[in-house]
Amino acid sequence: MPADDIPAPKEPADALAAVVALRRLADQLEDAAVEQAMRAGWSWPDVAEALGVTRQAVHKKHSKRLIAAGVTLRRRQ
């Protein structure tokens, strides 16, 4: 979708605030989806592939939070 086709607030401050809100929402959705996948038995490589990142990146970003949430994480075999 070309940038001209994206509806955006007329004021730069409002547009930037919308970007911040969308990033926060995207992070929350990612956190929830990763937790759901890991609770369903997905592996780190499975989650990483679905997100289009490396296994190391997804592990670094989510492992501590998942452990704190009581999620049993799969070990490499």
Side-chain angles (χ1 to χ4, degrees):
M1 176 182 282
D4 292 343
D5 294 344
I6 299 172
K10 301 235 185 277
E11 293 296 322
D14 294 338
L16 293 168
V19 169
V20 171
L22 287 170
R23 285 184 179 152
R24 287 184 182 145
L25 177 58
D27 285 342
Q28 291 171 354
L29 290 170
E30 180 179 327
D31 288 350
V34 170
E35 183 170 338
Q36 180 182 20
M38 296 304 286
R39 287 186 186 277
W42 286 39
S43 67
W44 290 113
D46 293 336
V47 173
E49 183 178 349
L51 291 174
V53 299
T54 65
R55 179 194 61 78
Q56 293 87 348
V58 76
H59 184 273
K60 181 178 180 180
K61 184 174 182 179
H62 295 283
S63 63
K64 288 180 183 176
R65 180 184 56 77
L66 293 171
I67 291 167
V71 178
T72 303
L73 303 178
R74 291 179 56 177
R75 301 278 182 209
R76 282 184 148 189
Q77 296 176 353

